[in-house]
Amino acid sequence: MTPIDRRNFIKALAAAPAASILTIPAHAQSGQPKARVVVIGGGFGGATAAKYVKMLDPAIEVTLIEPNKVYTSCPLSNEVISGHRDLASLQTGYDGVKKRGVNVVHDLVEAVDPAKKTVRTKGGKTYAYDALVMSPGIDFKFDSVEGYSELVAETIPHAYKAGAQTILLRKQLEAMPDGGVFIISVPPRPIRCPPGPYERAAQVAWYCKTHGKPKAKVLILDANDSHSKQALFRQAWRELYGYGKGQMIEWVPAAEDGKVVRVDPKTRTAYTSFGEHKADVLNLIPLHHAGQIAIKTGLANERGWCEVVPMTMESAVHKDIYPIGDACIAGELPVYDMPKSAHMANTQAKVAAGAIVAKLNGLPPPTPWYVNTCYSLAGENYGFSVVHIYRVENNKFVYITAAGGVSPADAAAAGDKPAVKVPRIQYALEAQYLLGWWRNIMTDAFA
C-alpha cells in the first residue's frame, strides 16, 4: 500500500461503527478477540504480516508459528561464503514481534484444515483462524537432478537456506586449492533471490582473488538463458575478476548445454546433456517449489507454486488463506513473474495484512501496489540493484515498465565514439545503500 492508501485505510477503519482500530469492541474488552489470524512461517513475509495485522488492528489475535527461534537472513548470506561477514551478523530473534502483541509459537505446522479453519502443529496444538497467512518459503525438488538427494546435499550443498549449508559451502571454498574449480549449478526459474547464484559467483571469485587462489575458476552451469541484472554482472565479473572462457568466471547458459541433469557425488562431477564438468567444490541448487505445508494444504498448482488473487494475495484455491513470499506465484511467466525476494515478500505481506484487516472489519480491501528492490554485491564497494513496480488491473498483476529500473551499466562503444562509463562512485554508493536497505527491512519485519 502507498502511504496515502494506508492513511485512507486507517481513516476508513476509524469511521466504521464498532469495528475500529481505535475503539475496541465489547467482545474484545471481555477478553475475546475480534478475530483470529494465524501466520505460518516467520521469515520476511510472515513476520511482517503478523506485525502489520496487529499494528492495524490490535483487537485481532495474531499467532505466528515458526519452528526456529532464530531467523537467518538469506540476503547478504553470500558474504558469509566469501568470508566477509559471519552468520551471526545475519540473525535475529522474535522479541520485537512479541513486543507488538503477536503470540509467537515455536513449533512446526503439520496440517491445515481449510474447511474447519484450523492449524495443527507437531507439538499437538490446534489453532483456529479466521484468516491464515501462508508464508513457508521454498522447499526443493531434490530428484530434479539425477544423483542428487537431501542426503547428498550434506556433502554437495545448495546453501539456499541460510544457515548450516552456508557454513558448509564456505568451508569447502576455504579448502579448495589454487587452480581449483568451483561449480554453481542453477536450476530453471523461478528461483529464490537472494541468495542469487550470480552474486555468489562474484563473491566466490572475490574470496579467491583475496585469499591466494588467483588461478581458481568459477563455472556457472545454468538451466536458463538469461538472468536479472545480466549486463551489470557481466561488467562486474569482467572488470573485477575476468569473465569468459579461460578467465576466472565463466557462465554457460542452457542454449550452450549449461543445464545440469546428473551429478556424481563421489567425484563431484556435474553432467549436462553432452558434457561433464569436474569440480573441487560443487554447489548444486535444486529446482524449487513452495514449502511443503502449502502443497499439503492443496494450495499449489501443478508447478508447485501457490496462485493468488492480485487485489488481496488471497489464495486462488482456498478462501481466507493468503500465500505470500517465495511460496506464491504472482504474474505471468517468464517476464512479469514477481521476484522471490525479501523485499517482495515484505510488500506482499503488507498487502495481505491490509486486505485481512479490512475484511475482518467489513471494509473493501485497499488498492495495492507491489514493490521489489533487489541489491547485489559483486565485490568491494561494487553494488547495483533493480527495482520493480506492479499494480493490479482487471484482476491481473501488471508490471509497470515506466517505473523502477536497474542500475546503469557502461554503454557499448558506438562507431568511433568511446564507450560511456558509469562513474564508479555510483557502484560504491549502491554497496552502501545495500547495507541501509538490509538494516531497514530487518527492522521493518522483526522489530
PDB file of all heavy atoms in Angstrom, residues 206-219:
ATOM      1  N   TRP A 206      35.725 -13.164  -5.531  1.00  0.00           N
ATOM      2  CA  TRP A 206      36.307 -12.164  -4.620  1.00  0.00           C
ATOM      3  C   TRP A 206      37.162 -12.853  -3.566  1.00  0.00           C
ATOM      4  O   TRP A 206      38.289 -12.436  -3.278  1.00  0.00           O
ATOM      5  CB  TRP A 206      35.170 -11.374  -3.971  1.00  0.00           C
ATOM      6  CG  TRP A 206      35.580 -10.205  -3.124  1.00  0.00           C
ATOM      7  CD1 TRP A 206      36.839  -9.697  -2.942  1.00  0.00           C
ATOM      8  CD2 TRP A 206      34.712  -9.376  -2.344  1.00  0.00           C
ATOM      9  NE1 TRP A 206      36.814  -8.616  -2.091  1.00  0.00           N
ATOM     10  CE2 TRP A 206      35.518  -8.398  -1.713  1.00  0.00           C
ATOM     11  CE3 TRP A 206      33.341  -9.372  -2.118  1.00  0.00           C
ATOM     12  CZ2 TRP A 206      34.981  -7.431  -0.858  1.00  0.00           C
ATOM     13  CZ3 TRP A 206      32.805  -8.406  -1.276  1.00  0.00           C
ATOM     14  CH2 TRP A 206      33.621  -7.446  -0.667  1.00  0.00           C
ATOM     15  N   TYR A 207      36.624 -13.936  -2.982  1.00  0.00           N
ATOM     16  CA  TYR A 207      37.376 -14.689  -1.989  1.00  0.00           C
ATOM     17  C   TYR A 207      38.675 -15.236  -2.596  1.00  0.00           C
ATOM     18  O   TYR A 207      39.764 -15.106  -2.018  1.00  0.00           O
ATOM     19  CB  TYR A 207      36.540 -15.840  -1.436  1.00  0.00           C
ATOM     20  CG  TYR A 207      37.314 -16.736  -0.493  1.00  0.00           C
ATOM     21  CD1 TYR A 207      37.398 -16.430   0.862  1.00  0.00           C
ATOM     22  CD2 TYR A 207      37.990 -17.858  -0.965  1.00  0.00           C
ATOM     23  CE1 TYR A 207      38.127 -17.236   1.724  1.00  0.00           C
ATOM     24  CE2 TYR A 207      38.715 -18.666  -0.109  1.00  0.00           C
ATOM     25  CZ  TYR A 207      38.786 -18.350   1.234  1.00  0.00           C
ATOM     26  OH  TYR A 207      39.526 -19.144   2.078  1.00  0.00           O
ATOM     27  N   CYS A 208      38.554 -15.856  -3.772  1.00  0.00           N
ATOM     28  CA  CYS A 208      39.736 -16.457  -4.401  1.00  0.00           C
ATOM     29  C   CYS A 208      40.795 -15.408  -4.722  1.00  0.00           C
ATOM     30  O   CYS A 208      42.001 -15.631  -4.517  1.00  0.00           O
ATOM     31  CB  CYS A 208      39.327 -17.201  -5.664  1.00  0.00           C
ATOM     32  SG  CYS A 208      38.305 -18.660  -5.360  1.00  0.00           S
ATOM     33  N   LYS A 209      40.355 -14.257  -5.176  1.00  0.00           N
ATOM     34  CA  LYS A 209      41.280 -13.188  -5.548  1.00  0.00           C
ATOM     35  C   LYS A 209      42.034 -12.640  -4.337  1.00  0.00           C
ATOM     36  O   LYS A 209      43.195 -12.243  -4.453  1.00  0.00           O
ATOM     37  CB  LYS A 209      40.499 -12.069  -6.236  1.00  0.00           C
ATOM     38  CG  LYS A 209      41.357 -10.924  -6.746  1.00  0.00           C
ATOM     39  CD  LYS A 209      40.505  -9.889  -7.469  1.00  0.00           C
ATOM     40  CE  LYS A 209      41.352  -8.701  -7.936  1.00  0.00           C
ATOM     41  NZ  LYS A 209      40.512  -7.696  -8.651  1.00  0.00           N
ATOM     42  N   THR A 210      41.380 -12.625  -3.188  1.00  0.00           N
ATOM     43  CA  THR A 210      41.974 -12.012  -1.991  1.00  0.00           C
ATOM     44  C   THR A 210      42.523 -13.023  -0.995  1.00  0.00           C
ATOM     45  O   THR A 210      43.031 -12.630   0.050  1.00  0.00           O
ATOM     46  CB  THR A 210      40.922 -11.124  -1.288  1.00  0.00           C
ATOM     47  OG1 THR A 210      39.769 -11.912  -0.976  1.00  0.00           O
ATOM     48  CG2 THR A 210      40.529  -9.957  -2.164  1.00  0.00           C
ATOM     49  N   HIS A 211      42.424 -14.333  -1.307  1.00  0.00           N
ATOM     50  CA  HIS A 211      42.901 -15.355  -0.381  1.00  0.00           C
ATOM     51  C   HIS A 211      43.841 -16.354  -1.056  1.00  0.00           C
ATOM     52  O   HIS A 211      43.827 -17.549  -0.761  1.00  0.00           O
ATOM     53  CB  HIS A 211      41.712 -16.094   0.248  1.00  0.00           C
ATOM     54  CG  HIS A 211      40.957 -15.287   1.252  1.00  0.00           C
ATOM     55  ND1 HIS A 211      40.093 -14.272   0.889  1.00  0.00           N
ATOM     56  CD2 HIS A 211      40.948 -15.318   2.614  1.00  0.00           C
ATOM     57  CE1 HIS A 211      39.572 -13.726   1.983  1.00  0.00           C
ATOM     58  NE2 HIS A 211      40.080 -14.336   3.031  1.00  0.00           N
ATOM     59  N   GLY A 212      44.645 -15.857  -1.967  1.00  0.00           N
ATOM     60  CA  GLY A 212      45.711 -16.675  -2.528  1.00  0.00           C
ATOM     61  C   GLY A 212      45.269 -17.771  -3.464  1.00  0.00           C
ATOM     62  O   GLY A 212      45.943 -18.810  -3.552  1.00  0.00           O
ATOM     63  N   LYS A 213      44.178 -17.566  -4.185  1.00  0.00           N
ATOM     64  CA  LYS A 213      43.727 -18.554  -5.162  1.00  0.00           C
ATOM     65  C   LYS A 213      43.496 -17.875  -6.519  1.00  0.00           C
ATOM     66  O   LYS A 213      42.390 -17.986  -7.098  1.00  0.00           O
ATOM     67  CB  LYS A 213      42.444 -19.241  -4.675  1.00  0.00           C
ATOM     68  CG  LYS A 213      42.544 -19.912  -3.293  1.00  0.00           C
ATOM     69  CD  LYS A 213      41.221 -20.534  -2.914  1.00  0.00           C
ATOM     70  CE  LYS A 213      41.171 -20.916  -1.439  1.00  0.00           C
ATOM     71  NZ  LYS A 213      42.015 -22.063  -1.106  1.00  0.00           N
ATOM     72  N   PRO A 214      44.468 -17.175  -7.054  1.00  0.00           N
ATOM     73  CA  PRO A 214      44.263 -16.407  -8.291  1.00  0.00           C
ATOM     74  C   PRO A 214      44.020 -17.267  -9.520  1.00  0.00           C
ATOM     75  O   PRO A 214      43.524 -16.763 -10.540  1.00  0.00           O
ATOM     76  CB  PRO A 214      45.558 -15.607  -8.429  1.00  0.00           C
ATOM     77  CG  PRO A 214      46.584 -16.449  -7.734  1.00  0.00           C
ATOM     78  CD  PRO A 214      45.862 -17.063  -6.570  1.00  0.00           C
ATOM     79  N   LYS A 215      44.359 -18.564  -9.466  1.00  0.00           N
ATOM     80  CA  LYS A 215      44.172 -19.438 -10.624  1.00  0.00           C
ATOM     81  C   LYS A 215      42.850 -20.213 -10.561  1.00  0.00           C
ATOM     82  O   LYS A 215      42.585 -21.049 -11.432  1.00  0.00           O
ATOM     83  CB  LYS A 215      45.334 -20.419 -10.723  1.00  0.00           C
ATOM     84  CG  LYS A 215      46.688 -19.737 -10.956  1.00  0.00           C
ATOM     85  CD  LYS A 215      47.804 -20.761 -11.015  1.00  0.00           C
ATOM     86  CE  LYS A 215      49.157 -20.082 -11.207  1.00  0.00           C
ATOM     87  NZ  LYS A 215      50.278 -21.074 -11.218  1.00  0.00           N
ATOM     88  N   ALA A 216      42.059 -19.936  -9.556  1.00  0.00           N
ATOM     89  CA  ALA A 216      40.784 -20.643  -9.397  1.00  0.00           C
ATOM     90  C   ALA A 216      39.824 -20.276 -10.525  1.00  0.00           C
ATOM     91  O   ALA A 216      39.941 -19.222 -11.156  1.00  0.00           O
ATOM     92  CB  ALA A 216      40.161 -20.310  -8.048  1.00  0.00           C
ATOM     93  N   LYS A 217      38.841 -21.145 -10.734  1.00  0.00           N
ATOM     94  CA  LYS A 217      37.823 -20.914 -11.762  1.00  0.00           C
ATOM     95  C   LYS A 217      36.440 -21.085 -11.147  1.00  0.00           C
ATOM     96  O   LYS A 217      36.203 -22.029 -10.387  1.00  0.00           O
ATOM     97  CB  LYS A 217      38.001 -21.892 -12.922  1.00  0.00           C
ATOM     98  CG  LYS A 217      37.020 -21.670 -14.078  1.00  0.00           C
ATOM     99  CD  LYS A 217      37.306 -22.617 -15.210  1.00  0.00           C
ATOM    100  CE  LYS A 217      36.352 -22.407 -16.392  1.00  0.00           C
ATOM    101  NZ  LYS A 217      36.496 -21.091 -17.010  1.00  0.00           N
ATOM    102  N   VAL A 218      35.545 -20.168 -11.469  1.00  0.00           N
ATOM    103  CA  VAL A 218      34.145 -20.253 -11.046  1.00  0.00           C
ATOM    104  C   VAL A 218      33.305 -20.489 -12.297  1.00  0.00           C
ATOM    105  O   VAL A 218      33.227 -19.626 -13.176  1.00  0.00           O
ATOM    106  CB  VAL A 218      33.685 -18.964 -10.337  1.00  0.00           C
ATOM    107  CG1 VAL A 218      32.246 -19.121  -9.855  1.00  0.00           C
ATOM    108  CG2 VAL A 218      34.607 -18.624  -9.170  1.00  0.00           C
ATOM    109  N   LEU A 219      32.715 -21.660 -12.385  1.00  0.00           N
ATOM    110  CA  LEU A 219      31.937 -22.050 -13.564  1.00  0.00           C
ATOM    111  C   LEU A 219      30.459 -22.088 -13.195  1.00  0.00           C
ATOM    112  O   LEU A 219      30.048 -22.823 -12.293  1.00  0.00           O
ATOM    113  CB  LEU A 219      32.389 -23.428 -14.054  1.00  0.00           C
ATOM    114  CG  LEU A 219      31.643 -24.012 -15.256  1.00  0.00           C
ATOM    115  CD1 LEU A 219      31.824 -23.140 -16.492  1.00  0.00           C
ATOM    116  CD2 LEU A 219      32.114 -25.443 -15.525  1.00  0.00           C
TER     117      LEU A 219
END
